[in-house]
Amino acid sequence: MSTNYWKRKRNEGEMLSGGGQNIDSGSFMDSNGKKKSILRLLSRFAEKTSMVGVPYINSAKVWWVKLIWCFLLLCALGAMSLHLWYLLDQFFSWPTVTKVELGFSDLRFPQITVCNVNVLHKGNLAKYAGADTLKELVNKMKPENVAANQFNPNWDPYENKSPGNADQTQGPSSVNAGQTQTSSSVKAGPTQTMQESTTKSVPPNNQTRRKRFVDTYGDIDPSKYDPNKPPSPPPLDKEYDGKRDSQEEIDLAFSTLYMNINRIDRARLGHNISHMLLTCTFNGRVCDAGMFRHHGTVESGNCWTLDNDKFTVMAPGPEGGLKLVLYMEVMEYLEGITTGYGARIQVHEPGTYPYPVHEGMHVPASMETSIGLKLITVERLNGTYGDCEWGADFQAKYGVRYTRRACYSACVLEDIVSTCGCHSDDAEYYAQRLNDSLRRCRSLNETTCQAGVERRYETMASRCECPNPCNETVYDKSVSQRQWPTDDYAKVLLEGVCNMDKEKCKNLRTKLADQRALSNNFLRLNIYFEDLNFEMIKEYPEIEWQQFLSDVGGAIGLWIGLSMLSLCEVAQLLVELCNFAVSKAACERRPDGKQREERYHSASYARKQHNHINRKRDYYATTSDYQYNYSDRKRGFNDQLQDMKFAVKIPDAHLKRSSDGLQNNGYSAPF
């Protein structure tokens, strides 16, 4: 134990001697009093680190052993680097995982939007003072004008002339019939009578051109009613370039004429929910027409949205849902324009803008339709993990919740407004929210400009940045129907109409003989949740920060055996290397006066250490337990004193006193 002690004391002497030398040479000393250098710092790190392989390289006595351990360490570092690169690349790609969870609670009832398939109320349109062109088109489209032959009970499709529609007799069939009659008239004999009868009773031969149904409206020129309609753009290579359907063209002309009417007047000319609603109940409690909010559309006219914050479903099944009985006012339908009976409905998330044409479904009249709902909520991640939209800015700007379709409509509208200075028909609501003074695109230049902008988005030449909403509610629907009402119950419903409007009751009673015509005026709608269970589809980060750190630590520990504390050792080594380089560079730039001052302070420190060693020597020299090692201690002190002599200029008298003091301590030395 005494030998180790004196070895440490020699190191202190070396520190004294090395201190003076280091200061003179511009080097520094470590915590053990040894001369600082990069090699010594690395050697010290190799002795103490817990990093696998490095201590073996430092302590190996044979060169090939060092070489093997260096090779293994380099291979491990390379494999660890590849492993870490994979982990970093995987983590910073921000992958997500989708999980489906099940929940159970009371559910908020969705919004229900109901539209009569008939756009304009016939009686209201007849009383309206304007819209003459629209009225002309409606009159032209009446079935008795389009297909007059079918309203003539005496019309025979095989006769030469059609009493109701003369222009339909022109063509190959009439010419062929005329040729047959001419040939039969010039022939004599008994065959003449046979040929004449054959001409009247046998249909034309295969050379007759059959008129297709789509050509029924060929006599109506849509451009007459929509003169500012822009020309159709040339089709793309992947786009079908067939002939435009005449009925579609007429429907577009009707929509344009309908939108030319003032917005307030359009609402008055359509069907009103207060005239359509016979019964309304939710969860067994009565609701009324005042709970419905008006919403205008191009395709369906007046639509009515039912929404109430207190509509909470606490029981599954039809009894806990919504029940509606609607009177469709079939006698006020526009003949030829409206081609079916019923309503268009949409079930959508509360607060969202309805799109019954794109996202709704038809509910036929004279039927009871039950729609069972299943709630599905979708939660998406934003930021680095995904691209979704919370929609707060959109809702503040347009007053409705964000959806992708609403975003697309508003995006195209803003482009049309900025390019053409007007708005399109189908984005009237957003145009009002954007700027109430905006007007519709009506002139040929404006409609052509509008069509050009819309064409750019159709062909993907321009795109709208409309990501999915971060929170979305979807309703999965199951539909069932039955024939409704019975003949007797139809009369009960008729009584409700009579209590509401005497004039409508009088007109409707004329249909009592035709039970089907009476039933076509009514429909029943049941909307409910099938159960209170709901699905939650959520996105989660596939790799959390905790898992990422665990993977990185596992990779480092697997290949080179480092832990967090071992990494701190590496960090300390780097700090010491940086400190050594910075301090050495600073010392080399320091002036000579500064170095002399440091040497003075170092000499003072050496004298203090010398006095401390003398005190230690006196203590151990007077202790009998250490007398048998006296000679070793003496040699150790003499070595240290000689080192200090070279380290700093200490007077020889001090060194002689220190050396002679070992023999003048009151007892004889063992040597």
Side-chain angles (χ1 to χ4, degrees), residues 186-245:
V186 298
K187 291 184 180 180
T191 59
Q192 182 176 0
T193 305
M194 181 183 299
Q195 290 176 351
E196 291 176 353
S197 61
T198 303
T199 303
K200 295 181 180 180
S201 60
V202 180
N205 57 22
N206 294 333
Q207 296 180 354
T208 302
R209 182 181 67 87
R210 294 184 178 181
K211 195 169 187 179
R212 297 178 296 131
F213 173 74
V214 294
D215 293 337
T216 303
Y217 302 99
D219 296 335
I220 301 176
D221 183 12
S223 62
K224 174 183 177 182
Y225 304 99
D226 190 9
N228 293 329
K229 182 180 180 297
S232 299
L236 301 176
D237 294 338
K238 61 180 180 180
E239 190 176 8
Y240 177 63
D241 58 349
K243 182 182 177 182
R244 298 284 300 183
D245 180 34

Side-chain angles (χ1 to χ4, degrees), residues 26 41 356 389 411 421 457 491 649:
L41 289 175
E389 176 62 43
C411 171
Y457 287 94
K491 294 181 175 61
K649 301 300 182 179

